[in-house]
Amino acid sequence: MRRRRKAVTVRPPASRLLPTATAVALLAVLGPAATVHAASTGTPTIRLSAAYLSGAVGASGDPVVTVTVAQSGADASGLTVTPSTSSRSTVAGTGDVRVTGTGGSRTVAVTARARGYADLTLKVTGTDGKSATTTLHYAASPAVRHAADARYLTGASDASAAVDAGGGYVLVANDEDNTLRLYDGSASGAPVRSWSLSSALGASKEVDIEGAARVGNTVYWTGSLGNNKDGEYKADRNTVFTTTLSGSGAATSVAFGTAGHRLRDDLVAWDKANGDRYGFAAATADGQTPKQVDGFNVEGLEFAPGSTTTAYVGFRAPLVPPSEGGKALLVPVTDMDQVARGAKAAFGTPVELDLGGLSVRDLRRNDKGQYLIVAGSWAAEDNSAPYALYRWDGVAGHQPVKVLDLPTADAGGWESVVSVPDLDVSGGRVQLITDDGSADLYGDGTQAKDLAHPEWQKSRSTFFTLG
């Protein structure tokens, strides 16, 4: 006879049960879809590659900044970046700001309406409506002649010497510091690389670099050699040094070479020994300022035709004779390769050139032995006096020929010639660079060299077509 099994009821522990009233209340609060959780998003972030930007009225290809945006819990491609306000729309309004690109990195460009400053607010907005802002501090310089052929080299304003680094890149010295900066010469913007040489030079002040010449991969640089603007001797200015370049274009690298610190003294001694013809001793005396018609100030350096040892040192001052209409002076240093190592200088026969009463502001030679000379006033710190471009064959006794009057209505003084095209072929293009250090670029009375933000400091590079 079978026995019947007793039914057993299994109950969950009391701790797992909710009273019916509690369960109903909880459902009312959470809703029927309480088991599906929506993804939460944070506040967007927006960051500029540089908070300061400069431009120019009528410019082609002004510098730009990169803006990086993100939002936790959201795809960056869903974020929008827009200009929202301008503190001075007459300089640049929100409609003058262009934001391009997608994803987490966008590019911001600004078109200048007028000279001056404007703070531009940029806003990032997520798909959920959350937003954040940042401010771009913008400065616009006035329109210039040849604007389509002008580019702006930012980060410093006192470009004073330059050499061709290949591939359209230019290595530029600044006479207010001892830093060499590499720029893409075809575009406006900041240097792609820079090298501070103060430590290698043992210099506590600026060398006042004013001239440069390249021989192979060696670049020779010279200080102005003269007193400072207060008529004081500063030893760091009595410097000739070399750097060695490796690579080319954007891949250019610079290594310090050697330095000498006696060329000024040797020039004064040589002039004394030859009847004090140029007055170097008096011009370098304590209290004598360098930029006088009878002063002592070097601004050009280039090697003689076919030579890697004899270099022409070009003088901004003195003129010869030291009066209106005087000639420009070149002094050949026949052992420049050794002078840059600290050796005593040896000199050739000086060369006096008729540049229409102007002096040497720079000179450059090409592989054909053709020279271009930037001629300007011994006095002018800007374009308030005539500037011209002369062609020369480098032979003492042969006089240069003017090929171009340079525009003088814009800010800055013509200071450097990068390279020389074949001057026997019509239509060659030459790149000149201005020193804008003394210019009031933005209309507030501040000289460019004194601007607090390097992004607002700039020199201008312009391409000229030669007939």
Side-chain angles (χ1 to χ4, degrees):
M1 179 178 177
R2 289 184 180 177
R3 293 184 179 179
R4 299 181 65 182
R5 294 184 180 179
K6 187 176 181 180
V8 177
T9 301
V10 179
R11 298 179 178 275
S15 60
R16 297 186 184 178
L17 297 177
L18 288 175
T20 302
T22 303
V24 171
L26 184 60
L27 183 62
V29 172
L30 297 178
T35 57
V36 180
H37 299 282
S40 61
T41 57
T43 301
T45 60
I46 180 168
R47 187 177 72 254
L48 294 169
S49 59
Y52 298 85
L53 180 68
S54 67
V57 178
S60 300
D62 261 343
V64 299
V65 295
T66 299
V67 59
T68 302
V69 294
Q71 185 180 26
S72 61
D75 190 331
S77 63
L79 304 177
T80 59
V81 179
T82 56
S84 59
T85 65
S86 169
S87 66
R88 195 176 177 192
S89 59
T90 54
V91 173
T94 56
D96 301 309
V97 181
R98 302 178 309 283
V99 182
T100 57
T102 59
S105 181
R106 319 287 174 92
T107 299
V108 177
V110 182
T111 299
R113 287 182 175 271
R115 182 190 195 189
Y117 299 95
D119 282 348
L120 302 168
T121 302
L122 301 175
K123 182 179 182 180
V124 59
T125 305
T127 55
D128 56 2
K130 294 178 181 178
S131 64
T133 62
T134 190
T135 300
L136 177 62
H137 306 285
Y138 182 69
S141 57
V144 298
R145 285 149 185 78
H146 303 278
D149 294 313
R151 301 293 182 268
Y152 292 89
L153 312 180
T154 66
S157 59
D158 294 79
S160 55
V163 295
D164 189 345
Y169 284 75
V170 185
L171 188 63
V172 180
N174 183 69
D175 62 26
E176 290 292 313
D177 58 31
N178 302 321
T179 298
L180 303 180
R181 296 171 173 85
L182 180 69
Y183 291 93
D184 179 352
S186 66
S188 295
V192 296
R193 297 186 70 182
S194 61
W195 298 266
S196 175
L197 300 179
S198 290
S199 178
L201 287 164
S204 59
K205 299 290 185 180
E206 72 270 16
V207 167
D208 193 24
I209 302 170
E210 293 289 355
R214 181 172 180 174
V215 178
N217 289 326
T218 300
V219 182
Y220 291 77
W221 308 88
T222 181
S224 65
L225 307 185
N227 293 344
N228 70 6
K229 64 182 180 181
D230 298 318
E232 300 169 337
Y233 172 66
K234 298 295 181 182
D236 289 334
R237 294 173 178 239
N238 186 10
T239 298
V240 176
F241 69 96
T242 65
T243 56
T244 301
L245 306 188
S246 57
S248 64
T252 298
S253 185
V254 174
F256 177 75
T258 62
H261 304 280
R262 58 174 298 168
L263 182 54
R264 165 184 161 126
D265 308 281
D266 293 340
L267 282 163
V268 171
W270 165 79
D271 190 41
K272 280 185 177 179
N274 288 275
D276 201 29
R277 179 176 180 179
Y278 300 116
F280 287 170
T284 55
D286 187 47
Q288 297 300 307
T289 56
K291 296 171 185 177
Q292 302 293 330
V293 70
D294 58 351
F296 182 92
N297 194 75
V298 167
E299 289 218 356
L301 183 68
E302 185 54 278
F303 281 81
S307 180
T308 60
T309 59
T310 296
Y312 291 129
V313 174
F315 285 79
R316 175 173 176 169
L319 288 179
V320 184
S323 59
E324 179 101 12
K327 293 183 177 181
L329 175 64
L330 302 179
V331 175
V333 178
T334 59
D335 60 343
M336 183 59 79
D337 57 323
Q338 298 305 309
V339 168
R341 297 177 180 272
K344 180 180 179 181
F347 301 101
T349 303
V351 179
E352 298 172 9
L353 300 176
D354 184 357
L355 300 180
L358 301 176
S359 58
V360 175
R361 302 299 289 268
D362 198 17
L363 71 160
R364 183 67 64 240
R365 184 195 76 185
N366 64 17
D367 291 339
K368 293 180 176 290
Q370 302 166 333
Y371 290 74
L372 284 176
I373 301 172
V374 178
S377 166
W378 54 265
E381 294 289 354
D382 53 23
N383 280 347
S384 61
Y387 282 80
L389 197 62
Y390 281 80
R391 174 179 178 171
W392 185 47
D393 62 7
V395 178
H398 292 187
Q399 289 302 315
V401 176
K402 185 193 292 186
V403 295
L404 189 67
D405 285 310
L406 297 173
T408 58
D410 303 317
W414 299 107
E415 191 82 359
S416 305
V417 53
V418 176
S419 59
V420 178
D422 186 343
L423 299 179
D424 292 330
V425 178
S426 180
R429 283 164 65 82
V430 59
Q431 185 179 13
L432 305 182
I433 302 176
T434 59
D435 180 338
D436 285 17
S438 298
D440 174 11
L441 294 176
Y442 306 116
D444 63 346
T446 303
Q447 290 188 341
K449 69 178 68 177
D450 295 327
L451 291 166
H453 307 290
E455 296 88 352
W456 287 351
Q457 296 184 13
K458 59 186 178 182
S459 293
R460 176 166 43 95
S461 165
T462 306
F463 290 87
F464 293 93
T465 300
L466 303 180

